[in-house]
Amino acid sequence: MFVDPSRVARRLRVRGVVQGVGFRPFVYRFATSLGLVGWVRNDGGGVEIEIQGSEPVLDAFTQCLATEAPPLARVDAIEPEVIPPDLSRKDFAILPSVEGAVATAIGPDVAVCPSCLSELCDPDDRRWRYPFINCTHCGPRYTITRTLPYDRARTSMAGFAQCPGCEAEYRHPGDRRFHAEPNACPACGPQLSLFEPHGVRALARDPVAETLRRLKLGEIVAIKGLGGFHLACDASRAESVARLRARKQRPHKPLALMCANVPSAAQWARLSAAEAASLESPERPIVLLGKQSSFDGALPGVAPGLDEVGVMLPYTPLHYLLFHEAAGRPAGTGWLADAHPLVLVMTSANPHGEPLVQGNDEAFERLGEIADVLLMHDRDIVVRCDDSVLRVRPDLPAGPWEGNGGGIQFQRRARGFTPLSLPLPDDGPAVLAFGAHFKATLCLTRGREAFLSQHIGGLDNPAACTALDEAAEHLQTILSVRPAALAHDAHPDYYSTRAALALAERLEIPAIPVQHHHAHIAAVCAEHRLDEPVLGLAADGVGLGTDGMPWGGELLYVDGAAFRRLGHLSPLPLPGGDRAAREPWRMACGVLHALGRGEEAIARFASRPNVEQVLGMLLRGTRCPPTTSLGRWFDAAAGLLGVCEDMTYEGQAGMLLETLAHRFGACLPLPGGYHIDTRAETGLSVLNLYPLLMQLVDENDAARGAAHFHATLIEALTQWVDDAAHVTGIRSVVLAGGCLHNRLLSAGLRHRLQARGLAVFEAQHVPPGDGGLALGQAWVARASLRQGVI
């Protein structure tokens, strides 16, 4: 072979999500097609390439590395270096991976790709109906990986030796399974098993067929997935859904559905083109969709009292096999173009309040009293990772991959998106942030990137606290980062605070407390890279304020590490303390007492044996701490309107109130429904909503009252923020906090504030509530370190 003595050589460092996504085979095929020589390999920093050829061809090659990369790859940077050419090199090769300082990240788990799906449904293929089929373009990544570089030996597939056929695919650079680390087939890979709850193997020739039979009989099945177990049942069988709710101690919280495809989902929910695209995306999130009018009659008990339902499509081969079995095992994938009647409840497998079940032995122990049968396999789940939940909002700006139908807003960020990083505007020290108490997540920064962990949940029990500790350890390991500082909520009694302080002591690094609502605003600043002063409206449930009181309806000035309280909502009493946050009837009593109509509470809540005791507390002012929480104003309105007196899940009263308002439709704000005062003693602007609730006390149409509540609240908050903008001169407004999950409130505020010429920013790629809090803590901590204020 002739070697051109004038050829030049470069070493290219490619950073981003470039391992486990078919990037090396792509480089190999591309380089050989251009007649270039050299090599490519994985290391801790990402992908390293040495390439030789003519300068114009090298320029074209380098440019196309980013523009033509495989679909699951994300190229964040290409760093070139000119090196002397090696004239003895005559070909292009893929070299073994090498160790090194980790500066890359593993990709998230993604749904089975069309090519694998075709093989799965091909009776002549050796992987026909094999539930662990995958390639470099699909399958598990994050949940099977222990450390980087991403090689089979560092995953839970290490114990499965490949058969000669799989080994040949794995070694051939031209094969789409080249270095697909979970590669396997029925002869050498993981296997399914069906077990009775007491641990005895079920009598079943085909575990999938038997599972479907049990589902159709009305049984509850625990199914092992990518990041943990699901609990599944036939959604059309009301008695099965009711039994699942009773066993899981989840009486009212909405359940997610799994449908075979978009046409099947359209039988139950209304969906736009943008929502269909989100359902079908490789990440396969749960998407919140509007119910069809026939939904509650056909699928009672799935999402009671709400006008939305969470829907997802199959994302593992095993999920597809259940629907394939129900369709009669047709050859090919043509069946996926049709609507199918099977619809499954598919909810996280965990006893009430506990973390997601991850291991087989754990499943027998924790799910034995819930599931009638367990469908599991022998591939270990290294990291538990729940399903992501999002909503498509037409009023939000769309990202580059979100299409033209609006932007997405996460309600829960986990599988499919963890551990993808969020870009930060500049470099900085590594900070590990521990979040708060509810909807716990972690965030670890590395250079110009922030990595948000998967959703962990409420830290109400030892198992959840252990899950937080495990996630913190794994995040540091997988990213090979030792933090320079830790960040945590300012509440001293949260487990997340204690965990952060303990780790800070062990590592001998500073621990930085961040006020809860400061962190909420900062999370949006971090996502949108707003390195400037902003006005922040924290519309939230609860967070400890700097005065020791529970805050939650706050108007803040925020500038990086600094914040100042500009105003707050009028305080509401919490009769019985935290218990009032779970019992809206107590909040209603507090409002009636404050309005001088406390005696009406006895007749209104006559079924409550302790109503007089609650009124006594209010009269004496004992065990009734004040709160400025906007979430408690929602609860009070729901209690007064008779919408919800007791909550069985977080945010239930507000969600029911939102649904009623949405069904009622648009209405005008109530005249005189609020007033804004400036407290002479503090200089703070106080938004008083008592006039609004005074008008709701005598409302006999709950839907109309809910609509008036939303309309008046949106007008009041808009005026409050606009007044502050005029006083401060700041025109950038950040909306954050758990109440911004309410689509009427968030969309209404965005529309009205923009109409007044203000720039509005909301959480989109992190949840607006506590699920995004850790990102804000990390942002504030890095600013504190940069400014030397700790």
Side-chain angles (χ1 to χ4, degrees):
M1 177 181 176
F2 174 73
V3 177
D4 181 359
S6 65
R7 71 184 179 188
V8 296
R10 294 177 189 169
R11 179 178 292 118
L12 303 176
R13 157 69 58 204
V14 186
R15 302 188 188 277
V17 180
V18 290
Q19 293 190 14
V21 292
F23 198 81
R24 287 176 299 167
F26 155 71
V27 171
Y28 172 87
R29 290 191 295 270
F30 191 34
T32 54
S33 72
L34 295 175
L36 300 173
V37 299
W39 50 260
V40 60
R41 68 185 178 189
N42 280 348
D43 65 10
V47 168
E48 186 180 14
I49 304 169
E50 283 198 5
I51 195 80
Q52 302 181 58
S54 68
E55 193 159 9
V57 176
L58 290 192
D59 289 341
F61 171 84
T62 304
Q63 182 178 357
C64 290
L65 284 181
T67 59
E68 304 296 328
L72 299 183
R74 191 187 77 189
V75 177
D76 293 334
I78 301 175
E79 301 165 2
E81 176 189 354
V82 176
I83 60 174
D86 177 5
L87 299 182
S88 65
R89 167 94 35 201
K90 295 180 174 59
D91 59 5
F92 194 90
I94 298 177
L95 302 184
S97 299
V98 296
E99 303 285 350
V102 174
T104 187
I106 189 64
D109 297 359
V110 291
V112 58
C113 70
S115 296
C116 285
L117 198 55
S118 293
E119 294 178 351
L120 184 73
C121 298
D122 182 356
D124 297 324
D125 193 277
R126 72 189 187 97
R127 290 187 175 89
W128 181 62
R129 292 183 59 80
Y130 180 57
F132 304 96
I133 190 171
N134 70 91
C135 70
T136 52
H137 303 307
C138 67
R141 300 287 190 278
Y142 178 62
T143 56
I144 64 169
T145 302
R146 293 189 168 91
T147 61
L148 290 180
Y150 176 62
D151 289 316
R152 192 178 180 99
R154 295 175 174 87
T155 73
S156 58
M157 289 297 294
F160 297 94
Q162 297 184 81
C163 68
C166 288
E167 185 74 20
E169 296 169 332
Y170 184 82
R171 298 296 176 192
H172 194 290
D175 197 286
R176 80 172 197 279
R177 293 194 170 92
F178 176 75
H179 280 271
E181 307 305 347
N183 188 38
C185 74
C188 64
Q191 300 295 320
L192 283 181
S193 300
L194 193 66
F195 285 91
E196 304 294 348
H198 49 281
V200 174
R201 192 182 293 267
L203 294 175
R205 181 176 302 173
D206 184 325
V208 172
E210 179 63 12
T211 296
L212 181 65
R213 189 183 75 85
R214 297 282 195 107
L215 287 167
K216 288 186 172 181
L217 287 174
E219 293 189 7
I220 297 165
V221 183
I223 300 176
K224 188 176 183 180
L226 291 183
F229 280 76
H230 282 114
L231 289 168
C233 71
D234 186 339
S236 66
R237 297 181 65 106
E239 70 281 5
S240 299
V241 176
R243 191 163 61 252
L244 173 59
R245 286 192 175 281
R247 291 182 184 177
K248 200 180 173 186
Q249 300 177 51
R250 186 174 173 168
H252 303 110
K253 191 174 182 179
L255 300 166
L257 296 178
M258 180 175 283
C259 301
N261 50 22
V262 166
S264 302
Q267 297 174 115
W268 313 110
R270 304 186 306 275
L271 63 165
S272 66
E275 289 165 334
S278 291
L279 282 174
E280 295 180 318
S281 68
E283 295 81 10
R284 286 294 200 278
I286 296 173
V287 181
L288 297 180
L289 303 172
K291 290 177 178 177
Q292 293 283 17
S293 58
S294 59
F295 184 95
D296 289 321
L299 306 178
V302 171
L306 304 178
D307 59 356
E308 284 186 315
V309 61
V311 178
M312 61 178 156
L313 303 187
Y315 55 87
T316 69
L318 179 55
H319 294 148
Y320 272 105
L321 288 178
L322 288 170
F323 290 97
H324 186 240
E325 184 74 25
R329 299 191 180 189
T333 56
W335 64 280
L336 282 171
D338 303 323
H340 295 272
L342 179 65
V343 56
L344 300 175
V345 164
M346 198 70 74
T347 188
S348 305
N350 56 319
H352 180 68
E354 295 183 14
L356 184 65
V357 172
Q358 163 182 11
N360 292 353
D361 292 341
E362 181 189 7
F364 288 124
E365 179 182 347
R366 295 174 59 203
L367 301 178
E369 299 299 319
I370 302 177
D372 297 306
V373 66
L374 298 93
L375 181 61
M376 54 180 58
H377 55 76
D378 53 352
R379 184 180 69 198
D380 288 343
I381 296 171
V382 175
V383 187
R384 58 170 56 90
C385 194
D386 219 327
D387 296 313
S388 293
V389 184
L390 59 82
R391 176 186 284 126
V392 177
R393 278 181 51 191
D395 62 315
L396 286 179
W401 55 273
E402 292 167 18
N404 299 318
I408 65 169
Q409 184 174 61
F410 277 95
Q411 313 298 299
R412 184 170 75 197
R413 183 184 169 107
R415 178 193 51 74
F417 299 92
T418 302
L420 291 177
S421 65
L422 296 162
L424 297 174
D426 50 30
D427 205 342
V431 173
L432 176 60
F434 274 74
H437 182 75
F438 295 110
K439 297 179 172 64
T441 59
L442 300 145
C443 182
L444 181 58
T445 65
R446 187 183 67 187
R448 291 174 174 265
E449 298 176 292
F451 297 86
L452 199 67
S453 79
Q454 68 274 24
H455 167 85
I456 296 165
L459 304 177
D460 293 313
N461 56 73
C465 296
T466 299
L468 181 79
D469 294 336
E470 291 173 349
E473 184 67 28
H474 185 262
L475 202 58
Q476 294 172 77
T477 299
I478 204 74
L479 298 175
S480 191
V481 172
R482 184 186 188 275
L486 301 179
H488 59 87
D489 195 89
H491 199 301
D493 296 330
Y494 286 167
Y495 176 79
S496 55
T497 298
R498 298 197 300 271
L501 293 174
L503 182 58
E505 183 177 1
R506 191 161 69 249
L507 298 179
E508 298 181 338
I509 58 176
I512 302 171
V514 182
Q515 196 278 326
H516 192 90
H517 302 101
H518 182 193
H520 271 310
I521 303 303
V524 180
C525 292
E527 181 182 343
H528 294 279
R529 289 174 276 182
L530 301 175
D531 200 6
E532 61 187 50
V534 300
L535 286 177
L537 175 62
D540 198 32
V542 66
L544 184 67
T546 55
D547 57 1
M549 301 307 294
W551 291 5
E554 313 302 318
L555 193 54
L556 305 178
Y557 166 91
V558 173
D559 184 11
F563 89 99
R564 186 172 74 252
R565 196 185 196 194
L566 302 178
H568 58 80
L569 297 182
S570 282
L572 286 170
L574 288 168
D578 289 344
R579 188 171 176 182
R582 301 187 298 272
E583 300 179 12
W585 74 271
R586 288 174 176 260
M587 296 304 304
C589 286
V591 168
L592 289 169
H593 170 76
L595 294 174
R597 302 173 65 171
E599 71 284 351
E600 296 179 27
I602 295 177
R604 187 181 288 254
F605 302 111
S607 62
R608 301 285 173 176
N610 52 346
V611 62
E612 293 190 17
Q613 179 185 356
V614 167
L615 288 173
M617 287 190 294
L618 289 163
L619 285 167
R620 295 188 299 274
T622 57
R623 295 183 58 213
C624 294
T627 180
T628 57
S629 164
L630 179 58
R632 301 295 78 79
W633 282 93
F634 272 91
D635 295 346
L640 288 171
L641 293 169
V643 172
C644 180
E645 293 188 3
D646 292 284
M647 291 195 289
T648 61
Y649 62 89
E650 185 186 2
Q652 181 181 7
M655 291 168 67
L656 294 173
L657 205 66
E658 176 190 2
T659 296
L660 286 175
H662 189 259
R663 288 175 180 170
F664 184 86
C667 69
L668 294 174
L670 291 171
Y674 67 94
H675 53 84
I676 301 170
D677 304 309
T678 299
R679 296 285 171 87
E681 65 276 17
T682 62
L684 298 177
S685 172
V686 178
L687 174 58
N688 189 333
L689 297 172
Y690 276 106
L692 166 59
L693 295 193
M694 171 70 90
Q695 297 185 62
L696 295 186
V697 171
D698 299 315
E699 175 60 72
N700 56 18
D701 184 331
R704 183 173 58 201
H708 278 308
F709 176 81
H710 279 80
T712 310
L713 176 63
I714 291 166
E715 182 187 68
L717 293 173
T718 299
Q719 188 62 54
W720 195 36
V721 172
D722 193 39
D723 288 352
H726 279 94
V727 170
T728 62
I730 297 173
R731 310 300 292 172
S732 295
V733 177
V734 167
L735 308 177
C739 294
L740 270 301
H741 285 290
N742 182 312
R743 63 198 187 281
L744 293 182
L745 178 64
S746 53
L749 283 171
R750 168 175 283 273
H751 173 73
R752 284 179 171 268
L753 290 168
Q754 287 178 332
R756 300 196 182 200
L758 299 171
V760 180
F761 301 90
E762 295 180 65
Q764 290 186 237
H765 291 94
V766 297
D770 285 5
L773 200 72
L775 175 63
Q777 292 173 345
W779 175 267
V780 171
R782 292 220 319 179
S784 299
L785 292 168
R786 186 168 58 246
Q787 297 167 17
V789 297
I790 64 168

